[in-house]
Amino acid sequence: MDFGIIIRFISYTREKPGCGSVLNQKGEVEMDAIIMDGKNLASGAVSAVKCIANPIKLARLVMEKTEHMLLTDYGAQCFAKAMGVPEIPGEKLITERSRERWMKNLEPDSNPHKFQTDLGTVGAVAIDSEGNVACATSTGGLANKLVGRVGDTACIGSGGYADNHVGATSTTGHGESIMKVVLARLILYHMEQGMSPEEASDTALNCMKTRVGGLGGVIVVSNSGDWAARFSTKQMSWATVKDDQLYYGIYTGERLTKSFEEALTSEGF
């Protein structure tokens, strides 16, 4: 597929995608992921999967190889095995930093909410030269979450949504709040009513903040190629490639640029 615009975010995290996921109450990695094709509204998702390095690849197999949209826990693991997806020891997905955070949350006087501000979600949206849009989101969720907890990421319309008639979006933030307002689909609804991606994002994020007290961030691309990266949190690392130019930022109002060729050869990209 010849992509015209690709937007990607790594929210909060300082650790590379696919490694360093937060741990649940038992000290294990449980991942959620979703992918959606705006051309035919096909979608696949997995939740609470363990010992899988790249759950987004498993989500795509759910979309392409089954009649279902969401597989979870043991069922997802069985499907992964049937599809030949390699299983790796869970400890290989755990970094020392994640282990230290988990141990601190176990202390009697700990405040788990304090350690939710430096976690990670990875998301992407794209539009190709023919106007087809897509989204993908992957996360480990909340630190010290209950075993089996499913957040917004695996839920269509919350963690992501893509429709060629409107555009595509991927979300990050407090999952329970995102699910309450169905954030991804809410943004596209506002775009259907004539708002720009930026206006729709700000309106939806403000709704989530005022109605349920939730903070988060979104990346959006419209079916005409307009895009936005917006957030109500203190920061969100994001990057966009359009017309061989890279746009990127971390803090509110920050929008840096460089050529894509320069970005590929420079340190850190």
Side-chain angles (χ1 to χ4, degrees):
M1 182 176 285
D2 178 20
F3 285 108
I5 302 176
I6 299 175
I7 309 177
R8 181 173 182 264
F9 70 70
I10 304 178
S11 168
Y12 310 129
T13 187
R14 297 190 186 98
E15 300 178 277
K16 64 182 180 179
C19 186
S21 180
V22 297
L23 308 182
N24 64 20
Q25 283 188 337
K26 290 181 63 177
E28 301 170 330
V29 170
E30 288 186 320
M31 298 287 291
D32 298 343
I34 192 170
I35 191 168
M36 188 167 185
D37 185 343
K39 187 175 183 178
N40 56 6
L41 302 187
S43 182
V46 293
S47 69
V49 296
K50 304 174 184 177
C51 304
I52 300 293
N54 302 109
I56 196 68
K57 293 182 178 180
L58 185 58
R60 182 168 184 171
L61 288 172
V62 173
M63 178 178 72
E64 296 178 344
K65 302 297 183 180
T66 79
E67 297 179 355
H68 307 307
M69 293 181 63
L70 171 60
L71 295 180
T72 188
D73 198 14
Y74 178 70
Q77 296 297 131
C78 291
F79 175 70
K81 185 175 181 179
M83 291 290 101
V85 176
E87 184 174 300
I88 63 175
E91 56 267 21
K92 287 194 173 182
L93 297 175
I94 300 174
T95 64
E96 185 60 32
R97 183 164 169 267
S98 291
R99 180 71 69 182
E100 291 175 357
R101 182 192 295 119
W102 176 70
M103 293 296 292
K104 288 180 180 178
N105 277 326
L106 294 179
E107 296 174 359
D109 59 347
S110 70
N111 178 10
H113 296 290
K114 176 182 178 181
F115 298 101
Q116 302 298 340
T117 59
D118 197 20
L119 310 183
T121 298
V122 179
V125 295
I127 181 171
D128 69 11
S129 58
E130 297 179 351
N132 297 308
V133 298
C135 73
T137 314
S138 177
T139 187
L142 300 175
N144 288 62
K145 63 187 179 181
L146 292 175
V147 174
R149 178 261 189 185
V150 178
D152 66 289
T153 294
C155 300
I156 189 171
S158 292
Y161 202 83
D163 183 351
N164 279 11
H165 292 173
V166 191
T169 184
S170 177
T171 69
T172 182
H174 184 245
E176 281 69 17
S177 297
I178 290 173
M179 287 188 283
K180 288 176 182 178
V181 300
V182 197
L183 184 61
R185 190 61 187 87
L186 179 61
I187 292 169
L188 295 189
Y189 165 77
H190 288 312
M191 290 169 62
E192 289 173 326
Q193 306 309 304
M195 290 188 183
S196 68
E198 186 170 290
E199 292 171 330
S201 299
D202 289 345
T203 300
L205 287 170
N206 183 63
C207 170
M208 185 171 74
K209 183 177 181 179
T210 56
R211 287 297 304 275
V212 299
L215 301 178
V218 299
I219 50 174
V220 187
V221 64
S222 73
N223 60 0
S224 62
D226 295 324
W227 60 272
R230 309 291 290 178
F231 48 98
S232 54
T233 53
K234 290 183 178 180
Q235 63 187 65
M236 182 180 78
S237 301
W238 62 270
T240 305
V241 176
K242 181 178 181 180
D243 298 330
D244 295 324
Q245 286 291 314
L246 174 71
Y247 306 87
Y248 59 99
I250 298 178
Y251 303 105
T252 301
E254 184 177 48
R255 182 167 168 169
L256 307 174
T257 64
K258 63 172 61 178
S259 71
F260 187 54
E261 182 178 353
E262 178 186 357
L264 288 175
T265 58
S266 64
E267 184 177 356
F269 288 91

